[in-house]
């Protein structure tokens, strides 16, 4: 499990543009380097990042998520990738952040927001 830091406002006004920030600690090994013993190091990259907004319906259950932001990451991305993007607040619900990568890596985090 990788450590991540998410910055999402807990409340917003309807129609307000909000900034979402996501940082995840990950070594991002390209697979092109050699260890101190001369052995090729295995590739270990985060390949994809997505953020979906899941609106809470009237019964309190989560509905289908709407894609807010998506990124494909490559070997040139530094360790501990940081992403920042904006969206418009239109309803209360939660943002679902998902990172996927090599070697079966998958990290999911959910952050709630209240829109008034």
């Amino acid at each position: 499990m990788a450590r991540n830091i998410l910055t999402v406002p807990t409340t917003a006004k309807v129609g307000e543009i909000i900034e979402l920030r996501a940082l995840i600690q990950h070594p991002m090994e390209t697979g092109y380097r050699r260890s101190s013993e001369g052995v090729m190091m295995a590739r270990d990259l985060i390949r994809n990042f997505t953020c979906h907004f899941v609106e809470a319906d009237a019964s309190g259950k989560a509905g289908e998520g709407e894609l807010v932001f998506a990124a494909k990451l490559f070997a040139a991305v530094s360790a501990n990738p940081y992403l920042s993007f904006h969206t418009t607040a239109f309803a209360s619900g939660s943002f679902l952040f998902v990172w996927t990568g090599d070697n079966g890596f998958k990290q999911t985090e959910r952050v709630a927001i209240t829109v008034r």
Side-chain angles (χ1 to χ4, degrees), residues 28-32 45-47 72-79 81:
M28 298 293 279
E29 182 56 55
T30 64
Y32 300 127
L45 299 173
I46 293 176
R47 307 298 251 161
K72 288 189 179 204
L73 306 176
F74 298 92
V77 173
S78 67

Side-chain angles (χ1 to χ4, degrees), residues 1-110:
M1 184 73 64
R3 181 173 175 256
N4 61 57
I5 299 171
L6 301 171
T7 304
V8 178
T10 55
T11 62
K13 295 178 182 175
V14 173
E16 181 180 354
I17 296 174
I18 58 173
E19 181 181 24
L20 308 175
R21 293 180 280 180
L23 179 137
I24 189 163
Q25 289 185 333
H26 192 277
M28 298 293 279
E29 182 56 55
T30 64
Y32 300 127
R33 296 185 319 143
R34 293 187 182 272
S35 69
S36 58
E37 293 81 32
V39 178
M40 291 297 287
M41 298 173 73
R43 184 177 78 175
D44 188 11
L45 299 173
I46 293 176
R47 307 298 251 161
N48 295 296
F49 170 79
T50 59
C51 176
H52 286 83
F53 178 72
V54 181
E55 187 174 351
D57 63 15
S59 65
K61 296 180 184 175
E64 290 295 316
E66 178 183 344
L67 183 65
V68 173
F69 181 83
K72 288 189 179 204
L73 306 176
F74 298 92
V77 173
S78 67
N80 308 324
Y82 168 79
L83 298 161
S84 175
F85 51 96
H86 294 83
T87 189
T88 303
F90 59 90
S92 294
S94 61
F95 289 100
L96 179 64
F97 298 87
V98 179
W99 295 265
T100 57
D102 294 332
N103 307 316
F105 177 80
K106 184 172 184 177
Q107 176 106 5
T108 304
E109 295 291 334
R110 185 180 296 262

